[in-house]
Amino acid sequence: MAKIIHNPLVLSSSRSAEKSESCCKLSGPTSFMSSKFLGNKLLSTNSATSPATRRSAAVVAVSSDVVKEKKLKSSSSLANLLITKEEGLVLYEDMILGRAFEDMCAQMYYRGKMFGFVHLYNGQEAVSTGFIKLLKQEDCVVSTYRDHVHALSKGVPARQVMSELFGKTTGCCRGQGGSMHMFSKEHNVLGGFAFIGEGIPVATGAAFTSKYKREVLKEDCDEVTLAFFGDGTCNNGQFFECLNMAALWKLPIVFVVENNLWAIGMSHLRSTSDPQIWKKGPAFGMPGVHVDGMDVLKVREVAQEAIGRARRGEGPTLVECETYRFRGHSLADPDELRDPAEKAHYATRDPITSLKKYLFENNLANEAELKAIDKKIDEIIEDSVEFADESPVPARNQLLENVFADPRGFGIGPDGKYRCEDPKFTQGTAQV
Amino acid sequence: MEASFGVSSAAAANAVNSPALSPPSLPFIRSEARPISWRVDKSRKAGKITTKAVAAQAENPASAASKPGHEVLLFEALREGLEEEMERDPRVCIFGEDVGHYGGSYKVSKGLADKYGDLRVLDTPIAENSFTGMAVGAAMTGLRPVVEGMNMGFLLLAFNQISDNCGMLHYTSGGQFTIPTVIRGPGGVGRQLGAEHSQRLESYFQSIPGIQMVACSTPYNAKGLMKAAIRSENPVVLFEHVLLYNLKERIPDEEYVVSLEEAEMVRPGEHVTILTYSRMRYHVMQAAKTLVNKGYDPEVIDIRSLKPFDLYTIGNSIKKTHKVLIVEECMRTGGIGASLTAAINENFNDYLDAPIVCLSSQDVPTPYAGTLEEWTVVQPGQIVTAVEQLCR
């Protein structure tokens, strides 16, 4: 059950040097993992820099509260609600879309319609929906290989994503990218990256462009970029390098950590000296926030503040979302390593179930309305599969087409003509 | 060092590919005078080029004043190119270590930060992989960044971004995103800089699909290649050489670019085709002096485009001389020379009277000691010997 958070992010660069201790009640790794003991708390940092050079030093982190609800008032007044009905239905629909799509991917994979490495997002929908539904079309999203749902949330049609997965020419990347490389120029999805960490600099660059447009080109630009990545990535050099640069230049970016505790079979706790990822933000001079990633409303509230900060030019934020993937790392992962008790625990915190409950308990929607959405999504998914099935596979002529934006890059052949002028080039059979 | 240059009359101008801005027509000077259109008639003549096998005599002030153009050092030519492009297109920006306030460790970007500000000439922290990736992200979202590797060797840390993102993203995104970045910096063997500062990254990058690689060797082609690389929609790696930055040459006052895909005819000849690039061009030309005195007539081509190879210019030469000598600074194994040998064998085998000879650097980490360093790279004496043997 979502709990209303007060003062999710309080950040002020003019705050004087307050040294507050962390009143964290963590008692050790197991408790972190199950989040049983995380209560609402203020976690702030002590900046070691002199006041003169301090950026936004004081940080308040939001924590998750997953203690089983006591008697939470279901008759909270409308003023207390975090969302309107319309917003609630949008969030619900987006999460259902993500879930249903990924489930269909699993089916299609085992039926031999899609291949290679496919990484599904089941269980993490609250993060994608919570963040991306707050964005404008011009804002950018950068993801990792677990990118289907980020693309869908951003607005890439299910047909295009499914087609891409089937390797058809109607896919968003003409079938050339695949599961791990979802791109959309129209919806500003900048990938889809197979190597963890390599998307973060790209996101930083997109944020840099936003700042450049504003300050150099004098355009009216407040676009923000969201970079999504996992807990494993947070031990990677590119992560730290980009935290530094983003904070240094106050880039309009939000670093969203989808901490699902596992990097394939490597537990976050076995690979990280300090597993509390949010803490790494303040080390670089940006706020670090921890949020319950299984609760879309909490994520959304934090996202609102972080995105707002970026839009106002106040710089980056590091948001650690504690979340969980219900399936294995990829469809090739037998997922035998994780403790069934852990899986069961997080299954009870299914973000879709939680949102549903919230909508019902606050009279924002009824069963029929949600069922209608379920049905609508089912139809969209069915349609996307049909579309993908019937779409053509790429023809040979597509082979050489997009290697270079300017195909003169293939050079000049022995006959003096550019290779791309060879008629066989468009057939995909030219010697290059 | 000698500066030799091939300048042709300005060919018919055709607006260079440029998305949003429509530049005025400008002279697009090529190594041989031919029309800009992609159709190339096969009867190109080599006769219109003005080349010099040896350096121009030191000018005396009286004659200098009457000559067209202006004298620059190579690093100044690079800067001119950069500055002109930054002036022309506000989206062009520079990322690199010490490019801003310091002016660039080889002074290529000197004064640009003062003129264009700290955001357009961005002093980055020491994080090659990340700032190269940042350049990719910026390029995808509309900017045209020029990334400087303080030494090309440092870009080994950026290999992930150069290979996966620069090279591949246009393709993996199905053509949706272009990456018009330029990655440039000094590489090659210097004067006792030690192994790690003496690397030849063109060997390592050449297999990356989706990038182009060019190497400049004179102030003239340095400026031209810089401008062409910045204007190109493709990611281009521009290799400069640590020892060539102070080369002096007189370059045109008027604006020009050179072709990224074409080789440069340095010295036409009949007996043997010598293919080279970057610093080795000067060792070749030094050897050429000796060879000419001995009665040989070598044809020297600066291949300039390391990826892709200009097989037309190269092929025409081979069809004339039937003998090929490649002189490069890469190591024997897996260098540009190795690839060029393969390409020539594949395409022009019938025209060869002798096996291709490829002179490369030794497969050793470049030693610090001066004597050892000298023996790792190809010296003019070896080139002379190789030609003599080839032309027996």
Side-chain angles (χ1 to χ4, degrees):
Chain A
M1 170 69 194
K3 177 159 180 179
I4 296 163
I5 301 153
H6 303 282
N7 300 326
L9 265 174
V10 182
L11 306 156
S12 164
S13 48
S14 57
R15 190 171 290 198
S16 56
E18 288 173 89
K19 191 179 180 172
S20 345
E21 277 93 84
S22 155
C23 36
C24 174
K25 292 180 180 56
L26 293 183
S27 51
T30 30
S31 56
F32 175 86
M33 201 163 83
S34 58
S35 295
K36 285 205 177 82
F37 305 115
L38 288 173
N40 256 353
K41 61 191 177 296
L42 255 64
L43 296 155
S44 55
T45 64
N46 168 37
S47 171
T49 57
S50 72
T53 55
R54 172 175 301 126
R55 295 167 185 253
S56 48
V59 168
V60 173
V62 176
S63 77
S64 62
D65 186 321
V66 294
V67 174
K68 291 234 163 52
E69 63 269 29
K70 291 122 189 174
K71 292 162 205 99
L72 279 162
K73 307 208 183 317
S74 52
S75 55
S76 35
S77 69
L78 278 165
N80 279 350
L81 292 182
L82 292 165
I83 46 169
T84 64
K85 175 183 178 131
E86 288 71 35
E87 289 168 342
L89 294 180
V90 165
L91 298 180
Y92 180 79
E93 184 171 327
D94 193 55
M95 291 206 285
I96 288 287
L97 173 63
R99 180 69 61 88
F101 189 92
E102 298 292 72
D103 283 340
M104 184 59 79
C105 280
Q107 269 194 59
M108 292 296 113
Y109 189 82
Y110 294 126
R111 282 199 211 162
K113 299 283 183 81
M114 58 178 83
F115 311 94
F117 293 130
V118 179
H119 309 81
L120 300 181
Y121 201 73
N122 297 51
Q124 301 184 194
E125 295 87 358
V127 181
S128 180
T129 301
F131 268 94
I132 299 181
K133 281 316 184 194
L134 292 170
L135 296 180
K136 305 184 292 192
Q137 180 147 0
E138 304 79 48
D139 296 322
C140 298
V141 164
V142 173
S143 178
T144 60
Y145 45 71
R146 206 178 297 282
D147 56 351
H148 308 166
V149 178
H150 295 134
L152 293 169
S153 291
K154 192 66 172 57
V156 182
R159 280 185 161 196
Q160 283 183 26
V161 183
M162 192 60 82
S163 260
E164 184 61 32
L165 293 167
F166 280 29
K168 301 296 182 82
T169 193
T170 48
C172 53
C173 301
R174 309 180 80 197
Q176 290 164 196
S179 167
M180 299 184 283
H181 302 286
M182 292 293 166
F183 287 82
S184 167
K185 179 123 180 127
E186 188 189 336
H187 299 278
N188 289 298
V189 177
L190 268 54
F193 292 92
F195 289 15
I196 59 159
E198 71 179 356
I200 305 178
V202 173
T204 310
F208 179 83
T209 300
S210 177
K211 183 182 169 88
Y212 189 98
K213 279 187 186 169
R214 211 169 36 245
E215 297 182 17
V216 175
L217 303 178
K218 309 290 185 208
E219 285 173 23
D220 195 11
C221 176
D222 65 351
E223 288 149 27
V224 309
T225 304
L226 301 185
F228 291 91
F229 48 92
D231 43 284
T233 308
C234 296
N235 293 323
N236 188 272
Q238 291 182 86
F239 168 63
F240 298 112
E241 290 174 0
C242 290
L243 285 185
N244 177 44
M245 292 195 288
L248 183 64
W249 299 316
K250 281 198 162 172
L251 300 182
I253 184 172
V254 183
F255 296 101
V256 184
V257 184
E258 296 171 321
N259 182 356
N260 59 21
L261 301 174
W262 291 91
I264 309 186
M266 187 62 162
S267 154
H268 176 57
L269 305 166
R270 287 185 69 220
S271 68
T272 316
S273 56
D274 185 344
Q276 294 181 280
I277 301 171
W278 62 269
K279 274 193 199 168
K280 295 172 187 182
F284 287 91
M286 74 178 78
V289 184
H290 177 267
V291 69
D292 174 5
M294 303 307 274
D295 183 328
V296 68
L297 300 177
K298 287 181 184 165
V299 172
R300 186 181 157 93
E301 233 188 306
V302 167
Q304 218 135 30
E305 181 56 35
I307 293 171
R309 257 178 61 79
R311 262 198 228 296
R312 292 188 299 269
E314 291 166 24
T317 313
L318 176 66
V319 180
E320 178 186 355
C321 303
E322 185 197 323
T323 182
Y324 202 77
R325 51 170 165 82
F326 293 157
R327 291 180 180 268
H329 163 73
S330 73
L331 290 174
D333 174 17
D335 193 20
E336 287 158 355
L337 200 54
R338 301 189 297 177
D339 182 7
E342 180 189 89
K343 296 192 218 182
H345 168 78
Y346 280 98
T348 65
R349 294 170 56 192
D350 187 329
I352 295 177
T353 324
S354 304
L355 179 65
K356 236 173 154 169
K357 198 156 179 222
Y358 184 88
L359 294 173
F360 290 157
E361 288 186 0
N362 291 285
N363 295 316
L364 289 173
N366 60 40
E367 190 78 44
E369 284 166 326
L370 297 191
K371 279 243 179 325
I373 292 178
D374 291 349
K375 182 161 184 296
K376 174 182 167 195
I377 293 298
D378 276 342
E379 283 166 9
I380 290 176
I381 304 294
E382 292 284 343
D383 167 79
S384 73
V385 171
E386 224 177 273
F387 176 78
D389 253 336
E390 289 166 7
S391 290
V393 289
R396 181 79 199 235
N397 63 1
Q398 209 178 298
L399 182 64
L400 304 170
E401 257 167 25
N402 303 124
V403 178
F404 288 105
D406 179 351
R408 284 181 296 176
F410 278 120
I412 303 168
D415 62 359
K417 293 205 213 134
Y418 276 93
R419 299 274 200 197
C420 55
E421 296 176 295
D422 179 346
K424 289 209 228 134
F425 182 84
T426 42
Q427 293 161 25
T429 53
Q431 165 95 17
V432 284
Chain B
M1 296 221 196
E2 306 154 41
S4 55
F5 51 95
V7 177
S8 75
S9 54
N14 198 8
V16 178
N17 237 4
S18 169
L21 310 170
S22 44
S25 294
L26 55 89
F28 192 103
I29 298 173
R30 303 183 143 201
S31 55
E32 297 182 48
R34 65 170 150 135
I36 303 302
S37 74
W38 293 8
R39 310 252 149 258
V40 179
D41 54 298
K42 292 181 186 171
S43 56
R44 277 191 329 175
K45 296 183 190 32
K48 290 186 192 167
I49 321 152
T50 321
T51 57
K52 296 189 166 79
V54 295
Q57 248 87 9
E59 302 176 354
N60 61 54
S63 61
S66 57
K67 287 198 186 152
H70 56 287
E71 260 191 355
V72 287
L73 303 178
L74 195 144
F75 76 90
E76 292 171 335
L78 287 167
R79 192 200 316 141
E80 265 186 36
L82 243 185
E83 194 167 351
E84 285 177 18
E85 291 306 300
M86 288 182 81
E87 194 61 42
R88 175 181 179 268
D89 186 343
R91 298 169 300 169
V92 179
C93 49
I94 311 175
F95 293 1
E97 294 155 11
D98 275 331
V99 293
H101 294 189
Y102 195 76
S105 45
Y106 291 92
K107 299 287 168 263
V108 172
S109 52
K110 187 165 179 210
L112 296 182
D114 288 333
K115 191 170 174 191
Y116 295 110
D118 282 349
L119 214 51
R120 278 193 85 180
V121 187
L122 188 74
D123 276 324
T124 60
I126 304 173
E128 277 79 4
N129 206 16
S130 292
F131 69 69
T132 305
M134 233 180 87
V136 172
M140 287 167 80
T141 44
L143 300 188
R144 304 185 76 88
V146 177
V147 175
E148 174 175 306
M150 190 185 274
N151 183 285
M152 278 312 228
F154 301 170
L155 294 181
L156 286 173
L157 285 111
F159 210 116
N160 173 200
Q161 292 292 341
I162 294 172
S163 163
D164 291 9
N165 290 347
C166 270
M168 298 193 195
L169 280 191
H170 183 69
Y171 194 80
T172 22
S173 68
Q176 292 182 82
F177 291 98
T178 54
I179 324 284
T181 48
V182 177
I183 297 173
R184 49 157 293 268
V189 178
R191 298 247 182 272
Q192 299 188 253
L193 300 180
E196 291 176 19
H197 282 83
S198 310
Q199 299 189 71
R200 284 124 283 163
L201 256 55
E202 57 269 26
S203 302
Y204 308 154
F205 288 164
Q206 63 177 320
S207 292
I208 299 172
I211 60 166
Q212 282 184 253
M213 304 197 308
V214 290
C216 62
S217 50
T218 66
Y220 178 80
N221 64 35
K223 178 174 176 183
L225 288 171
M226 171 74 91
K227 288 170 71 82
I230 292 174
R231 293 187 192 195
S232 173
E233 294 307 307
N234 299 334
V236 178
V237 186
L238 168 57
F239 289 92
E240 302 152 17
H241 197 285
V242 276
L243 294 180
L244 299 184
Y245 279 130
N246 289 324
L247 275 185
K248 189 187 283 193
E249 189 182 2
R250 185 165 282 275
I251 64 174
D253 288 328
E254 39 315 329
E255 201 183 6
Y256 69 94
V257 291
V258 302
S259 166
L260 290 174
E261 296 88 26
E262 287 185 30
E264 188 178 313
M265 177 65 72
V266 183
R267 181 193 188 280
E270 299 287 326
H271 289 169
V272 60
T273 299
I274 305 182
L275 303 172
T276 185
Y277 68 94
S278 192
R279 182 200 173 203
M280 285 297 120
R281 167 181 172 146
Y282 295 95
H283 281 202
V284 167
M285 291 313 291
Q286 201 177 324
K289 268 201 283 189
T290 313
L291 288 167
V292 164
N293 288 339
K294 290 189 175 193
Y296 294 93
D297 187 22
E299 176 152 293
V300 180
I301 294 176
D302 182 336
I303 62 172
R304 237 166 51 184
S305 176
L306 307 182
K307 178 186 160 85
F309 295 133
D310 177 1
L311 291 180
Y312 184 61
T313 307
I314 293 170
N316 284 349
S317 178
I318 296 170
K319 289 174 187 176
K320 185 168 54 162
T321 68
H322 311 294
K323 293 179 223 50
V324 179
L325 171 65
I326 300 171
V327 180
E328 60 158 356
E329 209 175 71
C330 282
M331 285 180 268
R332 171 147 229 73
T333 304
I336 297 295
S339 298
L340 194 50
T341 304
I344 295 171
N345 274 326
E346 222 172 59
N347 286 286
F348 306 114
N349 189 41
D350 283 344
Y351 299 96
L352 292 170
D353 282 348
I356 301 169
V357 178
C358 181
L359 297 179
S360 320
S361 297
Q362 302 288 320
D363 275 347
V364 302
T366 311
Y368 163 72
T371 45
L372 292 176
E373 184 183 69
E374 207 180 294
W375 293 321
T376 45
V377 298
V378 179
Q379 299 297 337
Q382 293 166 272
I383 302 171
V384 173
T385 311
V387 170
E388 286 175 330
Q389 286 193 322
L390 205 44
C391 292
R392 240 171 336 155

